[in-house]
Amino acid sequence: MMAKIWCASGVLVSGLVVVSILFGNSAFGMTSPEVYGGFVYKEHEVPTRDRILYDQFPQNFSWGVATAAYQIEGAWNEDGRGPSIWDTFSHQPGRVYQNHNGDTACDSYHKIEEDVAMLKNLSVNHYRFSFSWSRILPDGTVANINKAGVDYYQRLIDALIAANIQPMATLYHWDLPQALQDIGGWSNDIVAVYFNEYADLCFKLFGDRVKMWITLNEPYISARMGTEEGFHAPGFKHQGSTIYREAHNMLKAHAKAWHTYNDKYRPTQNGVLGITLVIFWGVTASESEADVAATDRYMQFHAGWFAHPIFLGDYPEVMKQQVLKKSRKQGLTSSRLPSFNEEEVRLIRNTADFLGVNYYTSQIVANAETVGDKVGYLDDQDVAVSFDENWPKCDVPWLRPVPWGLRKVLEWVKDQYGNPPIYITENGIAEEDKGLVLADTWRSKYLTAHINEVLKACVLDEVDVRGYTTWSLMDDFEWDSGYRFRFGLFHTDFDDPYRARVPKFSTDTYHEIIQSNGFGKPFDDDEEASGINDKLWKIFKKFSYLFKRAD
Ligand code: GBH
């Protein structure tokens, strides 16, 4: 079935590619947003900064794609899976765009073969997926282990290994077992203990084959969107306090799991364990002292909040001062930001073998002291954020492609935390659902530009980046946006009960970059005169519309 779809779509895709190449030179300059999904890209805004670097990644650089359990698996109530907060949330009317939910999603629970075939087709080295905690432990605790759930992941992992694809497993990508939310969720510190037991079980069950572990995905988003802003499950709007308590317990959960792995499993399993943080680049609004300081606060409040305790011990000083100052002003006797005792600082420090970085966009940051008595995470920071209107747009309002911001983020991590090993664990772009759109030139451009900035970070800035992972393997359930935005390299047909997947054009772009392990110089006047070799000519033809060279 899949082969047939691929075959048919292969023809379709190549047809569309021809169209893109014919109109290629204007594809990212003046093309109308209707044709190119709203992604208007300005080439080489600053030539010295944005020019493509033709070079290769280190030999063992790892290429991958990512997904997450609730976003693709479906089978929400099959084979003994327990409910998670995302089942509860998405079943409440009005929570998710058009009341979509992940009941079936991409049906990946029934599609191991198809998913692995797609990964092989891309020739990736690793696949980042997540375990559904409540599929393995229906009530969140190791008192009940769901054998069918365990089997699903065993079969997936075996299939990956057979295909020579390294599993990169995330233990928690936002789908807390509902039973644990019923006792307070992440704001109850016992959940850190349950997480550690769940992690321990996963190391035991899968650690002979899984060598790359990620404890938590974007704890910042899960705390902020889940309990401060309420756009994500469990959907609370508790301003200014729960968010910090949850993050505090997530840090403890992460650290406990790292120690469990380090003490009990690393000696025999020899893997690595890290955490994934979303890091946007804060571009200072001006060179004024106030704006520069505000930009540092912005970075510390969303990234340093987790990275500082993990790499350096304790929360960033500026965050401690800022939340204490605000809390006092609000008449509280102590800070809303909890504190770690000495023992906890020691427990949490040095608990990442690598840092996973999710990067999508950047923001302009200015100093803006909040007025009035507003209590909240945003108000604690005294910053105002915006976009530069010159930055390209895509269909997703919060996502303005700023490729060079990724290089800045990587340099920032290197400088702040002493050059730890980094994996880019997510990076991608989406188009709004408009049916079967396969000529996703905006994605080819986005990936090319961002991967090239990673290359600059590796080669020019000597940042220790070990791998790159794009979001996402296929169109999936995009949390509160439901199926509105398509982030996939493969198109998923959500109207088809079979959930057919069809490759978009960008699969080819990504495949080519992986094959070349970087960027071969596409064109050179001398080479043209002497006749360039077939391989280079092929790459040039394929990418010429992406790589207009600045002069
Ligand atoms: C990632 O988060 C997630 O890890 C992944 O699961 C998800 O599919 C991917 O993004 C793509 O969306 O609507 O203005 O309130 C990236 C961080 C968190 C950024 C939610 C956008 C919503 C902004 N994202 N946030 S808004």
Side-chain angles (χ1 to χ4, degrees):
M1 175 101 187
M2 277 313 287
K4 244 178 23 210
I5 290 168
W6 280 9
C7 196
S9 70
V11 174
L12 185 52
V13 170
S14 29
L16 291 165
V17 170
V18 171
V19 173
S20 326
I21 289 173
L22 287 178
F23 293 99
N25 282 341
S26 62
F28 298 102
M30 300 162 301
T31 316
S32 74
E34 290 73 42
V35 178
Y36 291 101
F39 185 14
V40 183
Y41 197 87
K42 290 202 177 130
E43 288 283 343
H44 304 298
E45 236 182 305
V46 180
T48 47
R49 182 194 64 197
D50 299 339
R51 182 176 287 138
I52 289 275
L53 172 68
Y54 297 101
D55 207 333
Q56 287 198 314
F57 284 88
Q59 274 297 309
N60 49 359
F61 193 82
S62 193
W63 298 97
V65 287
T67 61
Y70 188 72
Q71 299 183 267
I72 64 161
E73 284 180 6
W76 76 284
N77 61 358
E78 267 177 62
D79 291 349
R81 178 184 176 281
S84 83
I85 55 175
W86 269 96
D87 299 303
T88 310
F89 185 80
S90 67
H91 292 158
Q92 290 164 359
R95 292 296 204 175
V96 175
Y97 173 76
Q98 293 189 358
N99 292 327
H100 292 165
N101 59 55
D103 289 4
T104 310
C106 306
D107 201 24
S108 283
Y109 185 68
H110 300 113
K111 292 201 161 2
I112 290 178
E113 218 178 294
E114 288 85 343
D115 289 355
V116 174
M118 285 147 70
L119 295 163
K120 276 162 93 169
N121 174 280
L122 290 167
S123 68
V124 289
N125 307 109
H126 69 267
Y127 175 43
R128 176 177 180 232
F129 64 96
S130 81
F131 293 120
S132 155
W133 187 342
S134 65
R135 192 181 292 290
I136 295 174
L137 304 175
D139 69 3
T141 77
V142 290
N144 293 302
I145 299 172
N146 179 30
K147 189 173 175 312
V150 171
D151 280 356
Y152 165 65
Y153 295 114
Q154 297 289 23
R155 283 183 283 118
L156 172 63
I157 292 164
D158 285 343
L160 292 172
I161 299 290
N164 198 21
I165 297 165
Q166 291 302 313
M168 179 188 260
T170 307
L171 289 164
Y172 183 74
H173 200 122
W174 305 351
D175 45 356
L176 191 75
Q178 181 60 42
L180 298 184
Q181 189 60 52
D182 295 343
I183 58 165
W186 286 108
S187 59
N188 182 344
D189 58 6
I190 192 78
V191 170
V193 174
Y194 291 139
F195 177 79
N196 185 39
E197 290 171 0
Y198 157 61
D200 189 331
L201 176 71
C202 291
F203 302 148
K204 187 169 93 195
L205 291 170
F206 311 118
D208 57 332
R209 288 149 296 152
V210 176
K211 303 298 173 190
M212 289 191 282
W213 294 94
I214 292 165
T215 52
L216 309 173
N217 179 71
E218 301 183 354
Y220 157 63
I221 295 298
S222 104
R224 176 171 164 191
M225 293 295 159
T227 58
E228 170 105 4
E229 306 208 345
F231 297 127
H232 286 186
F236 302 147
K237 290 189 192 230
H238 300 168
Q239 301 284 295
S241 188
T242 312
I243 182 172
Y244 295 124
R245 209 164 47 243
E246 292 215 344
H248 201 69
N249 291 328
M250 285 194 251
L251 277 162
K252 288 187 190 172
H254 160 80
K256 281 178 198 288
W258 185 87
H259 285 288
T260 299
Y261 189 76
N262 197 49
D263 300 347
K264 223 168 139 181
Y265 296 97
R266 193 195 302 278
T268 52
Q269 295 184 353
N270 277 312
V272 286
L273 183 142
I275 187 169
T276 280
L277 306 180
V278 60
I279 311 185
F280 300 143
W281 179 240
V283 183
T284 188
S286 80
E287 288 309 318
S288 78
E289 221 177 280
D291 285 343
V292 170
T295 307
D296 178 56
R297 287 199 298 279
Y298 168 89
M299 295 306 289
Q300 298 302 341
F301 263 82
H302 82 284
W305 185 8
F306 300 93
H308 201 285
I310 290 173
F311 290 103
L312 305 172
D314 212 349
Y315 292 120
E317 203 47 47
V318 70
M319 192 173 178
K320 292 203 280 190
Q321 283 169 14
Q322 194 76 15
V323 184
L324 179 63
K325 183 178 87 184
K326 295 278 173 175
S327 302
R328 286 246 170 85
K329 229 177 109 193
Q330 289 147 2
L332 300 172
T333 50
S334 61
S335 178
R336 284 178 279 102
L337 182 71
S339 51
F340 294 116
N341 64 32
E342 294 260 310
E343 195 186 335
E344 290 166 333
V345 168
R346 273 199 308 277
L347 179 86
I348 296 167
R349 186 192 287 143
N350 287 329
T351 55
D353 304 317
F354 66 88
L355 180 66
V357 172
N358 291 354
Y359 175 84
Y360 288 88
T361 193
S362 294
Q363 292 184 316
I364 304 282
V365 187
N367 179 54
E369 269 183 45
T370 46
V371 283
D373 296 328
K374 275 191 277 173
V375 179
Y377 167 80
L378 283 180
D379 301 287
D380 284 342
Q381 299 179 51
D382 287 330
V383 301
V385 297
S386 58
F387 290 121
D388 180 336
E389 277 314 314
N390 288 316
W391 288 347
K393 284 184 178 167
C394 72
D395 289 348
V396 185
W398 58 265
L399 203 170
R400 305 288 290 258
V402 187
W404 53 268
L406 175 52
R407 181 178 175 191
K408 290 284 189 189
V409 161
L410 296 171
E411 234 186 326
W412 183 84
V413 169
K414 178 189 175 194
D415 292 348
Q416 294 271 319
Y417 309 114
N419 206 14
I422 297 173
Y423 284 88
I424 314 284
T425 44
E426 287 181 30
N427 173 237
I429 189 174
E431 60 274 2
E432 189 159 12
D433 176 29
K434 295 184 195 83
L436 188 69
V437 174
L438 299 176
D440 59 341
T441 44
W442 50 88
R443 181 166 292 101
S444 290
K445 176 67 194 176
Y446 183 98
L447 294 182
T448 305
H450 283 77
I451 292 169
N452 202 257
E453 294 297 326
V454 180
L455 181 66
K456 290 173 191 169
C458 274
V459 173
L460 306 178
D461 308 334
E462 297 180 343
V463 180
D464 189 5
V465 192
R466 307 273 177 102
Y468 171 90
T469 318
T470 188
W471 185 272
S472 175
L473 173 60
M474 64 193 131
D475 302 334
D476 62 7
F477 176 79
E478 275 296 325
W479 309 113
D480 53 324
S481 300
Y483 299 100
R484 180 172 175 197
F485 296 120
R486 294 178 170 275
F487 273 88
L489 292 180
F490 285 77
H491 178 279
T492 310
D493 184 353
F494 295 106
D495 297 325
D496 173 4
Y498 180 76
R499 295 296 192 272
R501 293 98 150 95
V502 179
K504 300 179 193 174
F505 169 61
S506 58
T507 53
D508 213 45
T509 310
Y510 194 41
H511 182 257
E512 191 75 39
I513 294 173
I514 295 174
Q515 290 300 301
S516 327
N517 197 35
F519 301 83
K521 201 172 180 190
F523 198 74
D524 176 306
D525 292 346
D526 295 342
E527 275 173 329
E528 185 192 26
S530 63
I532 61 172
N533 70 44
D534 287 354
K535 167 88 175 150
L536 286 178
W537 180 238
K538 196 178 137 234
I539 294 173
F540 170 67
K541 277 205 297 195
K542 189 169 272 172
F543 289 114
S544 59
Y545 70 100
L546 297 172
F547 292 176
K548 280 190 295 157
R549 297 179 77 187
D551 290 307

